[in-house]
Amino acid sequence: MKTILLTITLLLSSTAYSQTEISKGITIPDSKAEFPGGQDAFKNEFMKMVHAYVDITAYAVNGKFSFVLTIDEKGKMSELKIYPKVRNDEEFKQDMNFAMKRIKKKWKPAIKNGVPVSSYIIFEINFTSDHSDEEY
């Protein structure tokens, strides 16, 4: 009897203290968010706004930058993350956010099980100290 009780106790305690993977709640949509005209149209529109509203020569931006953009359930652009970090990073991010908010077209949100969900879009832009290689 003691052996059975000891075995049950060991089995229960090992599952209680075992490591388990915790889901981070990342939703993989059935369809991605879409900008009217596609992602290239968005990049062109974004670069128009950057050239119109931002003095890009004020920053040390040379090379390829990745922009991670959050598209909410209503198709509205919200959070923007930029990699790699640069000198005057906060000002650069604020200026890029300002240019992004000048775009008036809404995205079609990502869909999961027939319901609009928040998602991320990643796009890259190659900057040089004088200009970007993206033409508008």
Side-chain angles (χ1 to χ4, degrees):
M1 181 69 171
K2 288 182 181 181
T3 307
I4 294 174
L5 188 55
L6 180 63
T7 305
I8 291 174
T9 304
L10 288 174
L11 287 173
L12 291 176
S13 65
S14 66
T15 59
Y17 292 108
S18 68
Q19 295 179 351
T20 58
E21 186 176 335
I22 299 172
S23 173
K24 294 185 179 184
I26 297 173
T27 303
I28 299 174
D30 299 330
S31 66
K32 295 181 178 182
E34 295 176 13
F35 188 77
Q39 194 162 350
D40 286 336
F42 172 75
K43 283 174 66 174
N44 289 335
E45 189 74 19
F46 179 73
M47 289 312 299
K48 280 182 190 178
M49 298 304 146
V50 167
H51 290 295
Y53 294 104
V54 178
D55 179 13
I56 204 71
T57 60
Y59 304 101
V61 288
N62 284 306
K64 193 174 281 190
F65 286 80
S66 296
F67 291 73
V68 181
L69 177 62
T70 303
I71 309 298
D72 71 11
E73 302 84 11
K74 296 177 182 170
K76 185 177 177 187
M77 300 175 282
S78 56
E79 186 180 0
L80 178 66
K81 295 179 183 177
I82 305 169
Y83 301 101
K85 303 291 183 190
V86 296
R87 183 175 27 142
N88 299 327
D89 187 62
E90 279 306 308
E91 292 86 6
F92 180 66
K93 184 177 174 183
Q94 286 174 354
D95 283 349
M96 293 297 114
N97 265 313
F98 183 80
M100 180 185 72
K101 291 183 189 288
R102 299 293 133 232
I103 300 171
K104 298 301 176 196
K105 295 178 185 173
K106 280 193 169 187
W107 289 74
K108 178 183 171 193
I111 303 293
K112 176 70 177 176
N113 296 329
V115 178
V117 294
S118 180
S119 64
Y120 300 100
I121 298 296
I122 300 172
F123 63 98
E124 294 181 336
I125 296 177
N126 193 19
F127 287 103
T128 65
S129 55
D130 296 330
H131 63 287
S132 75
D133 69 351
E134 302 294 329
E135 293 300 323
Y136 53 93

